[in-house]
Amino acid sequence: MFGWTGRTIAVDLGSNSVTESRTKKKDAEQFIGGRGLACRLMADLTGPHTEPLSPENPLILCTGPLTGTTAPMSGHFTITTRSPLTGTIFDSNAGGLFGAEMKFAGVDCLIVTGKAAEPVYIRIEDEEVEILPADHLWGKNTGETASVLGTRGKVACIGRAGERLVPMAGMVSDGYVAGRGGHGAVAGSKNLKAVVVKGSNKPEIAEPEAYGKAVERMNRLLIANPPVSKGLANYGTAVFADLLSYMGILPADNFRNTGSSSGQGISGESIKENYRTEKTPCFACPGGCRRTFEDGFQVPDYDSLWALGPNIGGHDPEIITKINSMCTDYGMDPLSCGSAIAAYMELQGAGLGEEELMALVRDMGEGRSELAAGSYSYLCSMEKGRGSMSVKGLDIPGYDPRSMAGMALAYATSNRGGCHLSAFMAAPEVMGKPMVLNRLTFDGKAALVQYFENLAAVIDSLVICPFAVLALGEGELASLLNAATGKNYTAERLLRCGERIYNLERMLNVREGFSRKDDTLPERFFGKDGLDREAFMNALDDYYHFRGWDEKGRPTREKLQELGLGEQIDLYS
């Protein structure tokens, strides 16, 4: 197959076995790759109430049909599992260089199940797959682990947070944490320290001439798009800070405050003016929003700058960078970490100094603090769970839903939980891309949210950078996919794939007990100076209507038949 390698690797750590099979052609075409193909595998491999930290819960790493090609923003891969933080199916779109190397090694999907008797890591080099001892790596954080294994290939690994089953632990590749939902804890529960990949096979393109023209058109669109070519390319994702702050919608102090000064000191413009940085772009990225300070520390992205800055009452980028670096080394999601600290500070009614913050983050990384379980679990233990700024247990990032009605609906209906990338409504509501929307009203948002959710599912399955949504639509993506694979996707067919993926994810969540009651927002966001609850509920009803779901938020039998999902999971027995 062009685009896909046709190779799926299943590793059972319990039996120390490796099995290879052909990636199913029908599944690849209907679910594309990445997020979609992993979701299809999760439906096959898990039953009701599969415990996230049980050996039976798969950890699935997937490339997509565009991964590792010369298409811009195409170096990504996905990690999918059932989340120990939220209980939902949870995918993470991860950048860097690991995804391209995994594709060069000829892998569509790596499925890891079981639990090793002792710590191990998986090494893949082209046709060779090995399960190797990792006793010498257990107890090390991600920086040291990557340094030891980096001579053997590209590395995705866990730190001590993953080893200690911290629910906000992720896997770290190329210095960034992937898997806000606790993917690192799932790896740790399997005694899996790392995956190392090295490949020598470049993806083959079905129609080189058409592909070259599609890539050229994509590059032109990206260059012509100011948020990408002027904003992200020059200032990184921190460019969002000044814009959101200027509009008065950058939240601070655990969403208790907003204002024009809340982004002070953390903006991309301020960082570029006061510090020397260099670009460290992902594979095949023409923009390069990722950056490194001259001392080698990663420049935190916007989510980390906000979560470890204004969200906990801070604005010093140097302190934020230190805490972010500690989170990354432990393999712990900085956004969830900052949100848990913000909840703690609000509950205690007091701030924390730099040393206190560093000590608290260290305790979280070591699994010694109640905060390590996340803000929702921590506040529930205090019988104050309703005060968590989260949806389905996942903390909401730094885009205040009280001033972005579409984002509010997207947070509520996201299959992952409070995630802005499930439908990046900041694009039309804040940046006017690809259209300008009135951010203060729910009018017309229900149909658009489900469109952007479907488009995001496509992007995560191709797999390319989520910021592609700022410049590229389903038409451009279909043309590129067709040239790469030799298939015949229309824009409508591609979006239908996204809809199929989103509905299957919803079915997996419904099977675990999620329903309309979970499609909501924290109480803080409703009422005076907030969202109108009746307008929100009406928008949710409209959203279910456009989705073809019933009043409980379940896909109807008719919708499942329409999408070819009627035999997947019986929701109505």
Side-chain angles (χ1 to χ4, degrees):
M1 294 190 292
F2 291 103
W4 301 274
T5 70
R7 183 184 181 206
T8 292
I9 301 172
V11 176
D12 185 339
L13 295 178
S15 61
N16 201 46
S17 64
V18 177
T19 305
E20 296 197 19
S21 62
R22 296 293 297 171
T23 304
K24 293 180 181 179
K25 182 179 178 181
K26 181 179 179 181
D27 287 347
E29 292 182 2
Q30 289 193 336
F31 294 90
I32 306 175
R35 171 181 169 183
L37 199 49
C39 178
R40 177 69 182 83
L41 290 167
M42 287 290 290
D44 283 344
L45 296 171
T46 62
H49 314 304
T50 299
E51 289 297 324
L53 298 181
S54 69
E56 293 75 28
N57 186 30
L59 184 69
I60 305 175
L61 284 68
C62 281
T63 59
L66 297 184
T67 303
T69 70
T70 58
M73 299 182 162
S74 64
H76 288 227
F77 72 106
T78 61
I79 312 176
T80 304
T81 192
R82 184 164 179 235
S83 165
L85 184 70
T86 65
T88 64
I89 183 172
F90 204 116
D91 70 283
S92 179
N93 182 328
L97 305 175
F98 181 93
E101 199 71 29
M102 185 174 167
K103 188 67 169 285
F104 298 159
V107 182
D108 286 330
C109 300
L110 170 64
I111 307 165
V112 185
T113 56
K115 179 179 180 178
E118 302 292 339
V120 298
Y121 72 95
I122 297 170
R123 177 179 171 269
I124 302 172
E125 183 171 357
D126 293 331
E127 289 75 27
E128 186 177 2
V129 183
E130 298 179 285
I131 305 171
L132 299 171
D135 304 76
H136 62 299
L137 300 170
W138 207 255
K140 298 183 186 301
N141 272 332
T142 64
E144 191 174 359
T145 300
S147 179
V148 172
L149 294 177
T151 58
R152 309 204 70 182
K154 300 302 179 186
V155 179
C157 63
I158 64 171
R160 291 169 67 88
E163 293 176 5
R164 283 151 177 75
L165 310 185
V166 170
M168 63 176 72
M171 297 191 76
V172 174
S173 61
D174 301 303
Y176 288 85
V177 183
R180 288 186 62 203
H183 299 60
V186 173
S189 73
K190 299 181 182 304
N191 277 333
L192 176 65
K193 184 63 178 178
V195 176
V196 183
V197 293
K198 186 176 182 181
S200 58
N201 305 297
K202 296 299 170 68
E204 294 185 22
I205 301 300
E207 301 171 9
E209 184 176 350
Y211 174 80
K213 291 179 179 179
V215 169
E216 183 181 351
R217 174 169 169 73
M218 280 183 70
N219 279 318
R220 286 202 307 268
L221 289 170
L222 291 168
I223 291 170
N225 184 275
V228 175
S229 62
K230 305 299 183 186
L232 292 172
N234 286 321
Y235 304 107
T237 60
V239 72
F240 297 139
D242 252 4
L243 177 60
L244 295 171
S245 180
Y246 171 78
M247 299 175 76
I249 57 176
L250 191 155
D253 306 309
N254 203 31
F255 288 89
R256 285 174 290 163
N257 298 303
T258 57
S260 59
S261 64
S262 54
Q264 178 184 352
I266 68 166
S267 70
E269 295 85 343
S270 175
I271 290 173
K272 186 171 184 176
E273 180 181 349
N274 293 294
Y275 302 92
R276 293 183 62 182
T277 66
E278 63 175 313
K279 290 186 178 183
T280 50
C282 300
F283 179 88
C285 180
C289 68
R290 291 183 169 187
R291 284 168 164 69
T292 303
F293 290 112
E294 59 182 345
D295 59 7
F297 283 100
Q298 298 278 2
V299 177
D301 60 18
Y302 168 71
D303 292 332
S304 300
L305 284 164
W306 167 78
L308 301 171
N311 194 39
I312 59 174
H315 297 89
D316 186 335
E318 295 186 19
I319 295 176
I320 296 170
T321 298
K322 288 179 184 178
I323 302 172
N324 182 70
S325 179
M326 182 180 290
C327 286
T328 302
D329 202 30
Y330 270 103
M332 188 165 57
D333 173 41
L335 201 165
S336 297
C337 178
S339 297
I341 293 171
Y344 170 80
M345 290 172 64
E346 180 179 351
L347 196 63
Q348 299 299 317
L352 295 172
E354 179 181 352
E355 293 305 316
E356 292 174 300
L357 281 171
M358 300 290 278
L360 184 54
V361 172
R362 186 174 296 108
D363 284 344
M364 293 171 69
E366 296 287 352
R368 294 192 297 250
S369 169
E370 290 179 289
L371 295 180
S375 72
Y376 180 73
S377 179
Y378 167 70
L379 289 173
C380 281
S381 72
M382 304 290 179
E383 299 185 352
K384 296 181 181 292
R386 292 173 63 128
S388 171
M389 297 298 101
S390 63
V391 175
K392 302 180 180 77
L394 186 68
D395 294 293
I396 293 172
Y399 303 82
D400 197 315
R402 287 167 292 200
S403 299
M404 302 170 67
M407 186 64 86
L409 188 61
Y411 285 151
T413 58
S414 167
N415 287 326
R416 298 186 191 113
C419 177
H420 58 305
L421 295 177
S422 291
F424 192 52
M425 293 301 292
E429 290 190 313
V430 175
M431 289 168 268
K433 299 293 179 181
M435 64 195 78
V436 178
L437 297 180
N438 180 350
R439 61 185 173 85
L440 299 177
T441 178
F442 284 107
D443 293 347
K445 297 293 174 65
L448 285 170
V449 165
Q450 62 96 29
Y451 161 77
F452 277 102
E453 287 172 342
N454 294 343
L455 182 59
V458 169
I459 287 171
D460 291 338
S461 301
L462 285 173
V463 183
I464 58 176
C465 176
F467 288 126
V469 74
L470 294 170
L472 306 173
E474 61 273 18
E476 292 79 25
L477 297 175
S479 296
L480 186 66
L481 180 60
N482 290 339
T485 64
K487 302 300 179 182
N488 186 29
Y489 288 89
T490 62
E492 293 76 15
R493 181 187 171 193
L494 196 59
L495 280 179
R496 180 53 63 95
C497 289
E499 183 182 12
R500 182 178 298 114
I501 294 162
Y502 209 85
N503 274 267
L504 182 53
E505 289 175 341
R506 182 71 178 195
M507 291 166 71
L508 289 168
N509 284 347
V510 169
R511 186 180 68 180
E512 302 304 327
F514 289 90
S515 66
R516 185 187 183 106
K517 70 181 186 307
D518 303 291
D519 293 342
T520 188
L521 297 166
E523 289 296 317
R524 179 164 295 170
F525 298 132
F526 294 104
K528 184 181 179 182
D529 300 324
L531 298 167
D532 180 276
R533 187 181 298 278
E534 183 177 357
F536 171 81
M537 297 301 287
N538 289 337
L540 186 60
D541 285 337
D542 289 342
Y543 172 86
Y544 286 173
H545 169 74
F546 282 111
R547 275 284 178 211
W549 296 353
D550 64 21
E551 70 281 356
K552 296 180 180 179
R554 302 179 303 177
T556 62
R557 288 190 176 91
E558 292 75 18
K559 173 56 66 174
L560 298 182
Q561 292 293 338
E562 176 188 321
L563 295 172
L565 296 173
E567 304 302 319
Q568 289 296 315
I569 298 170
D570 187 359
L571 298 180
Y572 302 97
S573 57

